[in-house]
Amino acid sequence: MLSTITNAQFKADIIGIIEGTITSTAQLSAGADTTNSSFTGSYPTGTYTKVNATTNTFSKVHGTDAAYTHYFRLTFDAGVGLDAKWTNFALAQGYTSGTDTLLNSSSLTCNVKPNTFIGSAAFPSGINIVLTPKNIWFSSLTSGATFGIFDLGANGVTATYADNMRMCIMNTTATSSNIVVPYVYSIDGPNSAYTSMTATVTTLGNPTLKTNTAGSALIIENPAFVQFSQQGNQVYGIANLLKIGTSLFAMDSIYNTAGVRRIVAPIDYAIVTE
Amino acid sequence: MDLQKLQELFGTEPARIYTFTASVPENSNPVAHITEAFAIAAGTNLINCIVTEVRGNWLVYTRETEVTSDTFMLVGELPLPEPEPEPEVPTEPNEETPNAS
């Protein structure tokens, strides 16, 4: 972003990218630093729909199971210029359009501010936005914030209790209690009920860097999961979130695996971007 | 309502639990109806809460919002205070026990 950016421009750029009205640097606001911005890949048409422009509320269709649509909302403050702030990011199981009310929602405080481009070769920084049919993820090095919404896989609970959510909101900077699913079914005899659950992402093992016979380094990527003890340790796969080796890359680094880009979160997770 | 049971359900993050004291109109979605009533009580639709039915009671769980309303009665706040450890009772010296010498 340029130092001249306004609150409205900051907001319009982020919202426009999510809803797909901004898919090239030429469409960014005059306050964006177009010289140092780039777009790769194509917009995931049909996944994200803005349902309320005033409260910046979107619907998101599940990437593999279109029967599930959940909602998210971005809240901004009224800060001026570089002091503008995206304060809150909420995920909801449902939404009532007439009253613009999120149903069964949880949120995280994100506090992302615009920043002028830092052109260090090692750490070029701005705001990264990943949009795919299975996840939406944001990172801001200068704001110290990385977070997103990821699709969850199906399991016995989702088969039995169809209102059990199939998306989570994740703080990819925190090392514990970093996943929240706002509305899931707790199984506890007569006390069973829908509730929100918080957990820490789990992985099968800690990957290590390996080389093949040609001497090429292979970046081992393991799937990531979340499990809830309140559901008898039901496990959900987390779409597009991969565990990589410890301290392989700095945050916001980008690498390719078979031509598909990944971007690295601060705690040794990679986000699939396409 | 047993707050300990509710803490087992909702967890130990700081939050408030309210019970919805009015009735839900027939043919309406209880979650939507109660959420909208809660938003009105809070004075804003920028709220985040969970509406769930536990043992026949409609509860609202919220980490952020505090309301004062006849329609929403505060059940309690989480987390519950840790139980205080019971004070140790000093043992009386047994007069029949001979002193070691």
Side-chain angles (χ1 to χ4, degrees):
Chain A
M1 287 63 76
L2 302 174
S3 59
T4 57
I5 194 167
T6 66
N7 185 305
Q9 289 169 338
F10 174 57
K11 200 185 304 183
D13 284 340
I14 293 173
I15 299 301
I17 290 170
I18 298 172
E19 68 175 325
T21 55
I22 299 175
T23 55
S24 70
T25 56
Q27 295 167 311
L28 289 166
S29 74
D33 185 346
T34 53
T35 305
N36 293 303
S37 299
S38 65
F39 285 76
T40 60
S42 55
Y43 179 76
T45 304
T47 301
Y48 300 92
T49 304
K50 188 165 69 179
V51 295
N52 190 287
T54 305
T55 55
N56 308 308
T57 306
F58 288 81
S59 65
K60 181 192 176 303
V61 179
H62 194 275
T64 54
D65 189 345
Y68 286 84
T69 295
H70 298 315
Y71 297 83
F72 62 88
R73 174 176 285 172
L74 296 76
T75 305
F76 296 81
D77 74 0
V80 176
L82 291 174
D83 285 328
K85 195 187 290 177
W86 169 14
T87 56
N88 193 276
F89 189 50
L91 173 65
Q93 184 245 355
Y95 174 71
T96 302
S97 58
T99 54
D100 185 29
T101 311
L102 295 178
L103 305 179
N104 297 319
S105 62
S106 297
S107 71
L108 61 81
T109 302
C110 51
N111 287 341
V112 172
K113 296 171 72 172
N115 68 275
T116 53
F117 181 70
I118 300 168
S120 156
F123 299 106
S125 73
I127 294 177
N128 291 302
I129 300 176
V130 172
L131 272 170
T132 83
K134 296 178 182 174
N135 67 312
I136 177 168
W137 184 79
F138 306 88
S139 77
S140 169
L141 186 67
T142 54
S143 299
T146 69
F147 55 94
I149 291 169
F150 297 84
D151 286 358
L152 298 175
N155 61 31
V157 172
T158 62
T160 309
Y161 297 98
D163 288 339
N164 195 98
M165 283 184 71
R166 293 275 300 278
M167 292 176 204
C168 68
I169 188 166
M170 179 174 178
N171 180 342
T172 49
T173 304
T175 54
S176 63
S177 300
N178 47 14
I179 292 229
V180 176
V181 183
Y183 202 63
V184 278
Y185 201 73
S186 173
I187 305 164
D188 186 20
N191 299 308
S192 300
Y194 282 99
T195 181
S196 82
M197 290 184 194
T198 302
T200 303
V201 64
T202 56
T203 49
L204 292 171
N206 197 13
T208 55
L209 202 61
K210 303 288 282 184
T211 54
N212 61 15
T213 52
S216 298
L218 294 180
I219 299 163
I220 308 301
E221 300 170 322
N222 276 342
F225 304 92
V226 62
Q227 73 179 58
F228 294 115
S229 58
Q230 302 99 310
Q231 295 186 323
N233 287 326
Q234 279 278 8
V235 176
Y236 301 79
I238 304 171
N240 285 3
L241 184 75
L242 300 168
K243 176 70 174 172
I244 57 174
T246 304
S247 302
L248 279 186
F249 301 104
M251 167 185 164
D252 283 353
S253 299
I254 293 172
Y255 67 90
N256 273 286
T257 293
V260 179
R261 285 168 176 248
R262 282 88 155 94
I263 186 164
V264 178
I267 52 169
D268 301 323
Y269 285 95
I271 318 295
V272 180
T273 67
E274 295 167 46
Chain B
M1 302 237 76
D2 183 343
L3 270 176
Q4 187 61 46
K5 288 285 183 194
L6 293 179
Q7 180 162 278
E8 288 171 18
L9 175 66
F10 291 112
T12 55
E13 295 285 329
R16 295 181 185 84
I17 302 168
Y18 295 89
T19 185
F20 182 64
T21 58
S23 56
V24 178
E26 274 188 43
N27 301 322
S28 71
N29 176 341
V31 172
H33 176 80
I34 294 168
T35 304
E36 288 165 18
F38 194 71
I40 291 168
T44 174
N45 61 337
L46 299 177
I47 56 165
N48 294 293
C49 65
I50 308 296
V51 176
T52 187
E53 188 178 25
V54 180
R55 290 178 175 262
N57 298 296
W58 283 103
L59 302 179
V60 178
Y61 168 86
T62 175
R63 293 187 183 175
E64 302 151 15
T65 310
E66 187 169 6
V67 300
T68 305
S69 162
D70 293 339
T71 315
F72 294 95
M73 189 178 76
L74 183 66
V75 178
E77 296 189 6
L78 300 179
L80 297 175
E82 294 279 334
E84 293 198 5
E86 291 194 6
E88 286 185 20
V89 180
T91 51
E92 300 264 335
N94 188 343
E95 291 178 4
E96 292 179 4
T97 305
N99 288 336
S101 58

